[in-house]
Amino acid sequence: MGTVLDPSGIVIAANAKPAAKASPRIASMGGERLLAVYNGFHASANTQSHRVLARLVQSP
């Protein structure tokens, strides 16, 4: 795991079950934009599978 550099930063993905989100990666898109990608487990009755999830974060 990494080190928290900005404790007042932003939440990319929050879940009551921390194991449901794993392997986060961040990529700069230049300027004040970044792409956060992570592995998420969906436990709905139809799914029951791991998926790649992403969030685009940019400054307002």
Side-chain angles (χ1 to χ4, degrees):
M1 292 306 239
T3 301
V4 175
L5 300 177
D6 184 1
S8 63
I10 60 170
V11 175
I12 301 296
N15 191 314
K17 299 177 184 175
K21 307 281 190 271
S23 304
R25 300 292 184 261
I26 303 290
S28 172
M29 298 180 67
E32 296 183 9
R33 299 182 309 161
L34 62 88
L35 182 66
V37 181
Y38 54 95
N39 177 9
F41 182 75
H42 286 257
S44 69
N46 298 343
T47 309
Q48 297 290 321
S49 65
H50 289 271
R51 294 185 178 188
V52 174
L53 304 166
R55 300 280 191 264
L56 177 61
V57 181
Q58 55 190 35
S59 212

